[in-house]
């Protein structure tokens, strides 16, 4: 419902205030908006912001949006429900580095262990070595009073947190980390913990971990552990082993494994050949595999795939058609971009979201208005994809993005709202503008 508020305000303003507001009235409104934001009343501040924009005939007030966005993120990180705090922390990957770093450090002390783990992941992404000494505190064992004979949910969460911390520390260049905790965690009952442990061992770079990681590749073990072990072994230089594993994965019946195998060819020059992707991958019974094969062929500049990609435009599944169109555009058949644009109105929200991502990847500014309209989509996945189209490193100049990021700042979905708030912070930094 909140996404309709700016439109209502716009219509009202058009009826009663066609001219510009006097400067003193604008300043009074600015003070009221800042006061509301400072009091944590971000929804009211957001609505009053749009009223000011519409009545003043000014497209945007970046400093006001900055304050509303900042308080929106702070509220999210203080929210009583841990899932909201988790979403707020995860959104900080789109924010300016200093704000994200400071917020992540605070969340390392969160009462919820999954929020702490997300904070450690964020610090890994920020890649600031000074975070290492703060992340180390997450390696402490649980107090004896909290340890039980049987694995409880809290023990599992704590075990996983320790692996997030080890992974972050290893990636930040810590040299004195023991491998034993991660090796032990490779026997955890939780496959997510085992996958984290494998990735940590890969970052540590110790060949002592090879037996554990080779075990992680074995058939019958959960795929996320297989994939993480393969990633780690690749970091340890075991290209021959991973080449063979990827070739086997390409021949199996599970779509997620075949997609992974195609990734290995595109990003690491391992596993199934380009010819295999063309002759086998694009004919796989799984639409997910065919779509990924098409994208890979386009991004690898496989011009020999053009006839097959044109055939794929006639496939029944929309995700395959739009992926083939994307590949053809990458191979200089620009006319097929129309297929992707049309797919943004397809009934399946996954197809709409993927189409937005393809248009952004193709870097065409012609579709700004389309992205803006999709910020009103009924599905949050599509609204998020459309909002991320306005990232500062994307196709829209930063100074033009505020009027588009202002709308999702009032979204009903926390993921969309926090992403918009983080992007606003990354684009507008008042101290740098003074």
């Amino acid at each position: 419902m909140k996404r309709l508020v700016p439109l209502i305000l716009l219509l009202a303003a058009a009826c009663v205030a066609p001219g510009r507001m006097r400067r003193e009235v604008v300043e009074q409104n600015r003070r009221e908006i800042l006061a509301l934001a400072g009091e944590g009343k971000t929804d009211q501040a957001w609505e009053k912001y749009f009223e000011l924009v519409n009545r003043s005939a000014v497209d945007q007030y970046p400093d006001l949006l900055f304050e509303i966005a900042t308080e929106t993120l702070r509220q999210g990180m203080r929210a009583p429900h841990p899932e909201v705090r988790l979403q707020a922390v995860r959104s900080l990957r789109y924010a300016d580095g200093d704000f994200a770093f400071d917020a992540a450090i605070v969340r390392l002390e969160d009462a919820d262990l999954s929020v702490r783990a997300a904070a450690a992941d964020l610090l890994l992404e920020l890649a600031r070595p000074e975070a290492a000494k703060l992340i180390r505190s997450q390696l402490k064992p649980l107090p004896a009073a909290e340890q039980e004979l049987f694995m409880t949910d809290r023990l599992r969460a704590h075990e996983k947190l320790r692996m997030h911390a080890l992974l972050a520390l290893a990636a930040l260049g810590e040299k004195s980390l023991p491998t034993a905790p991660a090796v032990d965690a490779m026997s955890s009952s939780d496959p997510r913990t085992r996958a984290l442990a494998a990735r940590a061992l890969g970052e540590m770079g110790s060949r002592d971990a090879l037996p554990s990681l080779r075990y992680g590749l074995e058939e019958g073990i959960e795929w996320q552990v297989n994939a993480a072990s393969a990633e780690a072994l690749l970091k340890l230089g075991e290209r021959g082993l991973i080449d063979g594993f990827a070739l086997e994965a390409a021949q199996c019946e599970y779509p997620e494994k075949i997609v992974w195998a195609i990734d290995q060819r595109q990003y690491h020059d391992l596993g199934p050949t380009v010819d295999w992707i063309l002759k086998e991958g694009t004919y796989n019974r799984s639409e997910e595999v065919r779509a990924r094969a098409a994208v890979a062929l386009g991004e690898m500049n496989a011009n020999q795939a053009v006839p097959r990609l044109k055939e794929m435009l006639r496939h029944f599944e929309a995700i395959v058609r739009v992926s083939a169109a994307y590949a053809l555009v990458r191979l200089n058949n620009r006319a097929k971009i129309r297929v992707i644009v049309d797919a943004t109105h397809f009934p399946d929200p996954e197809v709409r979201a993927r189409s937005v991502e393809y248009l952004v990847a193709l870097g065409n500014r012609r579709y700004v208005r389309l992205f803006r309209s999709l910020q009103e989509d009924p599905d949050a996945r599509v609204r998020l994809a459309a909002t991320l189209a306005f990232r500062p490193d994307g196709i829209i100049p930063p100074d033009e993005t505020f009027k588009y990021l202002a709308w999702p700042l009032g979204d009903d979905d926390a993921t969309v709202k926090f992403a918009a708030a983080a992007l606003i912070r990354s684009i507008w930094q008042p101290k740098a503008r003074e």
Side-chain angles (χ1 to χ4, degrees):
M1 181 63 188
K2 281 189 289 187
R3 296 194 304 280
L4 299 177
V5 171
L7 179 58
I8 294 169
L9 290 172
L10 176 62
L11 293 173
C15 294
V16 302
R20 287 182 176 271
M21 296 173 72
R22 295 193 308 275
R23 181 178 298 177
E24 59 269 25
V25 178
V26 172
E27 289 305 312
Q28 175 62 30
N29 276 266
R30 288 169 61 93
R31 288 193 292 271
E32 291 175 5
I33 291 168
L34 290 172
L36 287 169
E39 294 167 9
K41 299 176 181 178
T42 52
D43 286 345
Q44 295 96 314
W46 178 76
E47 291 175 10
K48 192 164 186 64
Y49 172 85
F50 269 101
E51 183 179 350
L52 173 61
V53 167
N54 294 327
R55 289 181 179 274
S56 67
V58 175
D59 278 351
Q60 55 197 13
Y61 293 89
D63 58 328
L64 294 180
L65 271 182
F66 180 88
E67 296 300 331
I68 298 170
T70 299
E71 187 54 37
T72 296
L73 289 169
R74 286 175 176 159
Q75 280 188 336
M77 288 180 287
R78 296 193 300 259
H81 199 293
E83 183 59 33
V84 177
R85 301 199 301 277
L86 186 62
Q87 290 173 324
V89 171
R90 286 174 174 168
S91 74
L92 291 175
R93 69 185 59 188
Y94 308 120
D96 54 298
D98 289 342
F99 182 83
F101 182 83
D102 292 343
I105 294 302
V106 173
R107 287 303 107 201
L108 282 177
E109 302 301 323
D110 198 276
D112 186 85
L113 299 185
S114 63
V115 177
R116 291 193 204 178
D121 290 345
L122 177 59
L123 290 169
L124 184 160
E125 288 187 45
L126 293 172
R128 295 190 178 184
E130 62 267 32
K133 62 182 179 181
L134 300 166
I135 297 173
R136 273 189 172 276
S137 64
Q138 307 307 313
L139 298 179
K140 295 178 182 177
L142 278 175
E146 296 188 48
Q147 297 185 26
E148 300 181 17
L149 180 61
F150 299 104
M151 183 64 79
T152 64
D153 287 344
R154 182 165 176 80
L155 279 172
R156 288 191 186 91
H158 187 266
E159 182 184 44
K160 187 162 32 169
L161 170 60
R162 293 184 73 193
M163 291 306 105
H164 278 279
L166 272 176
L167 173 59
L169 287 168
L172 289 171
E174 285 286 287
K175 303 298 184 185
S176 59
L177 295 171
T179 59
V183 169
D184 290 345
M186 289 288 290
S187 300
S188 169
S189 61
D190 182 356
R192 292 170 298 179
T193 298
R194 298 205 300 278
L196 283 164
R199 292 180 60 205
L201 288 169
E203 291 291 348
M204 289 178 195
S206 172
R207 297 187 67 80
D208 292 343
L210 285 176
S212 296
L213 293 172
R214 285 171 178 153
Y215 172 76
L217 287 186
E218 290 189 8
E219 189 176 354
I221 295 176
E222 293 85 351
W223 173 244
Q224 62 182 303
V225 181
N226 292 156
S229 298
E231 174 189 329
L233 286 162
L234 195 56
K235 285 181 177 291
L236 292 173
E238 296 292 314
R239 287 180 59 84
L241 180 60
I242 302 311
D243 185 53
F245 183 72
L247 287 169
E248 290 180 9
Q251 301 297 332
C252 79
E253 60 182 315
Y254 300 105
E256 67 272 21
K257 294 187 178 184
I258 305 172
V259 166
W260 176 86
I262 294 172
D263 289 346
Q264 302 315 297
R265 171 52 52 187
Q266 180 172 351
Y267 300 121
H268 303 294
D269 200 26
L270 296 171
T273 63
V274 172
D275 190 59
W276 184 95
I277 295 172
L278 174 58
K279 295 180 179 178
E280 300 290 337
T282 64
Y283 289 91
N284 192 276
R285 63 183 179 182
S286 164
E287 63 184 80
E288 178 185 353
V289 172
R290 277 178 281 139
R292 180 66 188 98
V295 169
L297 291 167
E299 292 181 341
M300 290 190 292
N301 298 313
N303 286 295
Q304 67 271 33
V306 169
R308 173 57 183 155
L309 290 169
K310 288 181 178 179
E311 289 178 4
M312 294 173 77
L313 293 175
R314 298 193 295 271
H315 281 214
F316 174 76
E317 303 92 343
I319 198 67
V320 176
R321 295 199 304 272
V322 74
S323 298
Y326 167 76
L328 285 166
V329 176
R330 291 294 299 257
L331 295 171
N332 297 317
N333 190 338
R334 300 293 298 179
K336 300 307 179 186
I337 202 167
R338 188 71 242 172
V339 176
I340 308 174
V341 173
D342 291 344
T344 61
H345 304 292
F346 194 78
D348 184 348
E350 177 60 32
V351 173
R352 299 199 301 274
R354 190 83 63 89
S355 299
V356 172
E357 292 167 1
Y358 288 157
L359 289 173
V360 172
L362 291 170
N364 197 317
R365 290 189 59 193
R366 291 177 53 194
Y367 303 105
V368 169
R369 291 184 180 273
L370 174 61
F371 299 149
R372 169 65 198 97
S373 69
L374 290 168
Q375 288 177 326
E376 302 293 315
D377 193 276
D379 192 277
R381 288 170 294 177
V382 182
R383 299 199 302 275
L384 179 61
T387 296
L388 292 178
F390 300 104
R391 282 177 289 193
D393 57 346
I395 59 177
I396 315 300
D399 288 343
E400 295 181 23
T401 59
F402 285 98
K403 57 187 174 184
Y404 302 109
L405 290 174
W407 296 72
L409 192 56
D411 201 280
D412 292 327
D413 184 87
T415 303
V416 179
K417 175 189 290 189
F418 293 148
L423 287 170
I424 289 169
R425 278 211 52 112
S426 72
I427 294 168
W428 183 264
Q429 299 177 41
K431 290 181 180 179
R433 300 289 180 127
E434 291 175 358

